[in-house]
């Protein structure tokens, strides 16, 4: 198992999952590749498949100054994944420079509830 990701309380996480949404968290592309291979093996053993068309990757950095590693597709095993500039996870939109862009929308939805 790759030992990076994010720390929540005293626990270190590199995979976040909710229903069929899964986020792999690593310090670099190498860690993401290792995590993907582990997840793909587990999924295959459970009879599940990774849907290449619905799977994307994003490299998140505090300062988004390094455009060198922002290439179009990443190939892992027999898969080719498109790059995403942002993604929505549990109602929050995250960007490559680690910003949350949907705060006003979340506040509006919370007020409706």
């Amino acid at each position: 198992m790759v030992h990076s990701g994010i720390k929540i309380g005293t626990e270190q996480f590199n995979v976040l999952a909710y229903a069929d949404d899964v986020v792999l968290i690593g310090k670099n592309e190498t860690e993401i590749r290792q995590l993907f291979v582990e997840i793909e093996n587990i999924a295959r053993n459970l009879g599940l498949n990774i849907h290449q068309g619905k799977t994307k990757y994003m490299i998140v950095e505090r300062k988004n100054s390094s455009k060198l590693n922002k290439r179009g597709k990443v190939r892992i095993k027999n898969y080719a994944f498109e790059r995403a500039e942002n993604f929505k996870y549990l109602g929050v939109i995250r960007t490559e420079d680690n910003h949350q862009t949907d705060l006003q929308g979340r506040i509006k939805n919370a007020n409706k509830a």
Side-chain angles (χ1 to χ4, degrees), residues 28-30 32-33 56-59 61 64 66-76 81-85 96:
N28 53 47
E29 185 179 320
T30 301
I32 297 300
R33 287 175 179 277
K56 299 188 183 322
Y57 79 95
M58 183 171 71
I59 297 171
E61 299 172 325
N64 198 3
S66 173
K67 298 291 182 187
L68 297 175
N69 57 358
K70 304 287 194 274
R71 58 180 175 237
K73 285 189 179 181
V74 166
R75 296 196 178 276
I76 304 173
F81 301 114
E82 297 285 334
R83 181 175 67 91
E85 294 180 9
E96 290 179 319

Side-chain angles (χ1 to χ4, degrees), residues 1-8 11-17 21-28 30-39 42 87 89:
M1 186 58 108
V2 177
H3 298 288
S4 67
I6 60 170
K7 190 171 187 176
I8 300 175
E11 299 294 322
Q12 195 78 19
F13 295 94
N14 54 12
V15 176
L16 300 176
D21 291 330
V22 177
V23 176
L24 304 179
I25 302 167
K27 292 180 183 177
N28 53 47
T30 301
E31 287 187 3
I32 297 300
R33 287 175 179 277
Q34 292 170 345
L35 284 169
F36 176 79
V37 169
E38 289 180 34
I39 293 295
I42 292 167
F87 74 96
Y89 185 76

Side-chain angles (χ1 to χ4, degrees), residues 5 15 21 36 42 44 46-49 59 61-62 68 70 77 84 93 98-99 113:
V15 176
D21 291 330
F36 176 79
I42 292 167
R44 190 174 359 96
L46 294 170
L48 302 172
N49 297 312
I59 297 171
E61 299 172 325
R62 289 188 182 191
L68 297 175
K70 304 287 194 274
K77 295 178 83 172
I93 297 173
N98 204 21
H99 283 102

